[in-house]
Amino acid sequence: MTGFLLVAGAILSEVAATLSLRASHGLTRLAPSILVVVGYGLAFVLLAQALKTLNVGPVYAVWSGVGTVGAFAGGVLFFDETVRLATVIGVALVVLGVAVMYLGGGMEH
């Protein structure tokens, strides 16, 4: 259970860092730029700890897939980014792919 909580924390940190990267305006704004570095650093530390007990393939699929969906949703909510049918289909395919990886590979070893 701890491994899954670490992955969840890594996902939240990565999404926050990615959205901060957008807000940093090319790393020219100090506060969001600091959040980028801290967020990505924390994401990798948490992911590394999770991988002590979880399988790398499914964990990476979940981390990157849920992070992708989170970044998409955050872009729409915080930056008024456009939602297109193709984008929604892409997000659905990411979710489907992550589900297949998770169900097929099992996260715990």
Side-chain angles (χ1 to χ4, degrees):
M1 180 56 100
T2 302
F4 295 104
L5 293 175
L6 290 168
V7 172
I11 291 167
L12 292 173
S13 297
E14 189 266 338
V15 169
T18 300
L19 295 174
S20 296
L21 189 59
R22 172 74 153 75
S24 76
H25 200 17
L27 299 176
T28 60
R29 296 182 178 148
L30 182 60
S33 297
I34 291 170
L35 290 173
V36 169
V37 173
V38 171
Y40 283 130
L42 181 59
F44 282 110
V45 167
L46 293 172
L47 192 62
Q49 294 304 308
L51 290 175
K52 288 180 178 179
T53 59
L54 302 175
N55 292 329
V56 69
V59 166
Y60 189 77
V62 168
W63 179 66
S64 60
V66 175
T68 299
V69 173
F72 166 71
V76 171
L77 291 172
F78 298 116
F79 301 109
D80 200 31
E81 294 179 357
T82 304
V83 177
R84 294 181 175 87
L85 178 60
T87 310
V88 172
I89 291 169
V91 167
L93 289 171
V94 168
V95 170
L96 180 63
V98 168
V100 170
M101 281 284 296
Y102 178 78
L103 294 172
M107 286 182 61
E108 297 182 280
H109 58 129

